Amino acid sequence: MVTGREDTDARERDAVAAALTKAFAAARPELAVTPGLGRALADAVAAAARAWPGVSLPAVRFVAALAPRLAADRPVEAALAELCTGDLYLACACVDGDPRALAQFDRLLVPIVERAAGRRGATTSQQTELQQIVRERLLMPRPSAPEESHARIAEYSGRGSLRAWIRVVATRETLRLLGRPQREVPGDDEAIAALMPADAGPEVEHLKQRYREAFKLAFREAVAALTDRERVLLRQHALDGLSIDRLADFYKVHRSTTARWVEGARRAVLEQTRRALGRRLHVAAAELDSIMRLIDSRLDITLPTLLREPGEAPGGPGRRRSG
């Protein structure tokens, strides 16, 4: 005997199947629609959603993205079964900027990059840089190609696993990074000298000469104390030249949020530098404040050099603050 609830559920399933069939037909009008297609699509959507709990993607949107990826020379339901629909579901949600999808994508990406880079002798710092490069390559729109303004992950076909697709990009970027010649960059001494203007006055010049090593150690300590997010943000902004607006697009947040993040990371460098210099220089607080005002006004000139790490020093990059 069919209960009222079962009858309602059946009608709802039929309505969902009809809506998905309609979305599919609109995306691929040349393909024949079989009687069981709507249910097959509904099952594929449900299985994909179960694979990524919490990821939000409308079923009709997913089917509209899935339909163009089906092989035209195969029966529709057979072609559907050949796709990695769960991975495609995650990729589509990433294109739409769903925060949980992006977090899940990151969990896939990090170990893949670590393995690809580690096999080729990349340092920890280079692995972190590669993670950001691959993220940007796959998740950020390409402003240089307005006609292709979508993120590259929108091109994922679903015909192989998403992990394998990421691995190809990670391997290529690893070879590109480790194979390119290192650019000529100022040494530590030049970077520290750049923090102090030539006309800073005899007292500051005296400190600069007498405590050059203290300045150098203080900045190294300050950069090492950054959280991973602070370091990555500063590297993206100062080294890679990503504007606040591009960072906002990348992280799917308002530009004021990324501006606050970048400024917070910059402040963290200055505050840690002040503490480290205070421990080493033993000068009056007013004098230290004067030095820090000079450094603050010129930090952006030398920050790229302070952040660049062509290789790990003995003992690693130092302990970082949690966060």
Side-chain angles (χ1 to χ4, degrees):
M1 179 177 178
V2 178
T3 66
R5 180 61 195 171
E6 288 172 339
D7 188 51
T8 299
D9 289 345
R11 286 199 301 271
E12 288 177 352
R13 285 195 298 270
D14 289 343
V16 169
L20 297 182
T21 301
K22 182 179 180 180
F24 181 90
R28 294 294 298 272
E30 78 280 11
L31 296 182
V33 174
T34 61
L37 177 60
R39 288 292 179 89
L41 290 171
D43 289 344
V45 171
R50 285 195 300 271
W52 304 106
V55 172
S56 177
L57 183 67
V60 169
R61 153 80 174 104
F62 179 45
V63 168
L66 180 153
R69 291 164 166 81
L70 295 180
D73 59 349
R74 305 272 289 134
V76 172
E77 291 171 9
L80 179 62
E82 293 170 354
L83 289 183
C84 298
T85 51
D87 286 355
L88 188 58
Y89 185 90
L90 180 67
C92 290
C94 285
V95 172
D96 289 356
D98 179 68
R100 293 191 181 183
L102 293 170
Q104 293 285 5
F105 177 85
D106 216 38
R107 293 189 184 98
L108 290 180
L109 179 143
V110 170
I112 291 171
V113 174
E114 286 178 347
R115 284 193 293 271
R119 283 196 297 266
R120 289 163 177 79
T123 65
T124 301
S125 175
Q126 288 170 329
Q127 289 181 25
T128 300
E129 182 176 358
L130 279 163
Q131 289 167 21
Q132 280 307 116
I133 290 172
V134 175
R135 282 189 192 97
E136 183 177 347
R137 293 281 188 273
L138 298 183
L139 297 179
M140 288 189 70
R142 290 169 287 185
S144 59
E147 72 281 3
E148 298 181 38
S149 59
H150 57 266
R152 188 177 169 190
I153 196 171
E155 299 171 10
Y156 170 61
S157 70
R159 294 181 182 173
S161 75
L162 184 58
R163 286 177 176 83
W165 192 73
I166 296 171
R167 190 179 303 117
V168 170
V169 178
T171 300
R172 183 172 62 246
E173 295 301 334
T174 297
L175 294 173
R176 181 181 299 174
L177 175 68
L178 299 184
R180 73 191 183 196
Q182 295 294 325
R183 290 177 290 175
E184 291 290 330
V185 298
D188 281 349
D189 286 343
E190 292 174 77
I192 299 307
L195 285 167
M196 296 295 184
D199 58 351
E203 291 184 5
V204 173
E205 183 64 28
H206 170 72
L207 282 174
K208 184 170 66 174
Q209 295 302 323
R210 183 174 178 183
Y211 298 113
R212 180 181 299 272
E213 190 64 22
F215 282 126
K216 186 188 305 184
L217 293 173
F219 279 110
R220 284 178 179 171
E221 183 178 321
V223 171
L226 291 170
T227 65
D228 286 336
R229 190 182 77 170
E230 288 169 339
R231 178 188 291 269
V232 165
L233 278 166
L234 286 179
R235 287 175 66 86
Q236 287 178 306
H237 190 54
L239 278 176
D240 301 332
L242 297 185
S243 67
I244 294 298
D245 289 324
R246 286 206 69 198
L247 288 172
D249 287 341
F250 179 60
Y251 289 104
K252 306 296 183 186
V253 296
H254 193 273
R255 71 180 311 276
S256 64
T257 300
T258 48
R260 186 171 66 251
W261 287 350
V262 170
E263 179 58 21
R266 191 180 182 278
R267 287 288 110 192
V269 172
L270 289 169
E271 289 166 8
Q272 180 63 27
T273 298
R274 191 189 193 286
R275 286 193 289 270
L277 285 177
R279 289 195 299 269
R280 290 182 171 91
L281 296 186
H282 304 293
V283 296
E287 192 167 10
L288 186 56
D289 287 341
S290 178
I291 295 170
M292 291 307 301
R293 279 194 295 272
L294 283 170
I295 290 175
D296 189 356
S297 67
R298 298 178 64 83
L299 181 63
D300 294 332
I301 297 173
T302 192
L303 193 54
T305 299
L306 299 173
L307 290 167
R308 188 178 284 110
E309 299 177 22
E312 292 292 340
R319 185 170 59 86
R320 295 176 183 170
R321 291 186 284 118
S322 61

